[in-house]
Amino acid sequence: MPSFTTTLQLVAIIFWDIGLALYNLVAPKYKPGCVVPLGQPGAGGVWPAYVKPKPGDSRGSCPALNALANHGILPHDGKAITFTELSRVIETTYNFAPSFCRLVPLFAADMLGKSYTKDTFDLAELDKHNGIEHDASLTRKDSYHVPDQSEPYVPYIEELLSYASGTAEDGSELLMPDDISRFAAKRRLEAPKENPNFSLEFIHKFFGSSNASTMVTIFGGRISDLEIMLLEERIPDGWESRILKRKGLTMQAFNNTVLKVERNTKKIMAAVAAHGDQVAADSEEHGKQG
Ligand code: HEM
């Protein structure tokens, strides 16, 4: 549980977020190509060079933060990052609302027993088990099997992306919220069979659905972009956030997707419990056929 002071700040951020969501309703959206502020890395779709992590660099289980370090937007060694810097760069790079960009690093600082304003962290530190990192992830094996969570688990990512059932106007493949739910349900059903220490409290289900929902919001579900982001932890050339709202993706707006993903994951799991593995097989087949 977050400390009392952090809880008060979290509540204040929720009210701030409501204000930002209202502002977004009336403010003109960014024109495509203009989301990253001028002068910031990625403005006009030009990202700093991608350099793979070197031995000794710190990386963790978050593909989006690893990508920031791989491009040198966060320190390339992934070390001694200030929480305030993290807030700033996830806002300019991914166009999350400033409220979200404050809330998650604040929560992370509290989770590590550090000060949001004064302390620093290494990316790998964020992998404190059952802090934000949890079992049954979609891009990593459970930490019980692989304590170092920095490497993506390719078979999971390929399977997840193979569930894509949507098509964009230009004909490209799209991952949909229900596709995420199908794979998340599968992971939540299978992981406990292989992991004797398996746990997934309500808060970690919510975090799981939140992390995964960035794939269909910030990345717009574009398989071609997700392949690069999740497998190489690289920001595609010319990429920008799919969120065109002036104040970015607020928690209000994001939670609509998160709750939909979480609800459908539960529904699929309940159907499997009631009707057995056939439901899972049908649902998987449906995902593959679109
Ligand atoms: C704000 C600071 C952030 C922190 C502290 C953070 C932390 C984490 C952690 C610890 C995980 C591993 C969770 C697990 O066990 O599955 C994770 C996963 C993930 N995060 Fe982040 N993250 C942050 C921002 C972001 C942003 C801005 C995005 C997208 C633009 C993002 C996208 C993802 C994705 C796609 C996953 C993989 C989910 C999975 O494997 O199931 N994160 N993040």
Side-chain angles (χ1 to χ4, degrees):
M1 277 296 287
S3 69
F4 180 68
T5 331
T6 303
T7 305
L8 280 185
Q9 291 183 66
L10 296 177
V11 171
I13 292 171
I14 289 167
F15 282 103
W16 180 25
D17 187 77
I18 294 171
L20 295 171
L22 292 174
Y23 182 85
N24 272 342
L25 290 176
V26 293
K29 288 182 178 173
Y30 286 117
K31 291 200 178 79
C34 302
V35 175
V36 178
L38 282 177
Q40 295 300 324
V46 183
W47 294 98
Y50 164 85
V51 180
K52 283 185 180 170
K54 299 184 178 65
D57 286 350
S58 183
R59 293 291 183 272
S61 52
C62 179
L65 302 188
N66 288 346
L68 290 175
N70 291 340
H71 284 273
I73 299 168
L74 286 175
H76 188 268
D77 66 2
K79 295 179 182 171
I81 300 166
T82 62
F83 293 96
T84 48
E85 175 69 351
L86 177 65
S87 293
R88 196 183 66 75
V89 299
I90 56 178
E91 185 179 343
T92 58
T93 306
Y94 295 116
N95 200 22
F96 257 114
S99 45
F100 176 95
C101 297
R102 177 75 184 245
L103 181 126
V104 182
L106 181 69
F107 182 90
D110 188 88
M111 162 185 100
L112 298 176
K114 296 191 179 196
S115 155
Y116 170 80
T117 47
K118 294 185 199 126
D119 290 334
T120 65
F121 67 98
D122 297 350
L123 286 177
E125 283 181 78
L126 296 176
D127 290 349
K128 181 176 167 186
H129 187 55
N130 283 340
I132 300 175
E133 192 281 322
H134 55 80
D135 288 334
S137 308
L138 310 188
T139 68
R140 300 298 194 264
K141 290 211 90 158
D142 286 358
S143 60
Y144 172 80
H145 304 289
V146 183
D148 175 355
Q149 289 278 293
S150 62
E151 289 289 327
Y153 187 63
V154 175
Y156 287 164
I157 296 172
E158 287 179 342
E159 186 173 351
L160 166 69
L161 299 184
S162 79
Y163 282 26
S165 65
T167 311
E169 279 174 10
D170 63 4
S172 52
E173 272 186 295
L174 289 184
L175 190 74
M176 307 300 286
D178 286 355
D179 303 331
I180 293 178
S181 296
R182 276 193 287 276
F183 190 60
K186 188 173 181 206
R187 286 286 296 122
R188 288 186 196 179
L189 288 164
E190 286 181 357
K193 294 181 194 160
E194 301 164 354
N195 175 356
N197 292 348
F198 182 86
S199 65
L200 198 63
E201 299 293 331
F202 170 77
I203 182 89
H204 296 114
K205 290 179 183 163
F206 182 78
F207 287 162
S209 291
S210 301
N211 288 325
S213 291
T214 62
M215 299 180 199
V216 291
T217 50
I218 303 290
F219 297 98
R222 296 271 163 163
I223 294 296
S224 49
D225 291 337
L226 287 169
E227 273 171 351
I228 295 172
M229 173 53 84
L230 299 178
L231 292 168
E232 297 175 46
E233 305 195 325
R234 174 164 76 80
I235 303 177
D237 296 335
W239 183 85
E240 70 174 7
S241 172
R242 296 271 162 188
I243 304 298
L244 300 179
K245 297 265 172 71
R246 273 296 145 150
K247 292 290 175 190
L249 181 60
T250 59
M251 299 186 292
Q252 298 287 313
F254 187 48
N255 283 343
N256 288 333
T257 309
V258 176
L259 295 176
K260 187 174 173 190
V261 166
E262 184 54 33
R263 256 196 319 268
N264 278 337
T265 305
K266 275 203 191 115
K267 265 193 209 158
I268 296 170
M269 292 180 72
V272 172
H275 304 292
D277 286 348
Q278 191 53 41
V279 175
D282 290 349
S283 136
E284 201 174 304
E285 200 47 38
H286 169 80
K288 282 179 182 153
Q289 285 168 2

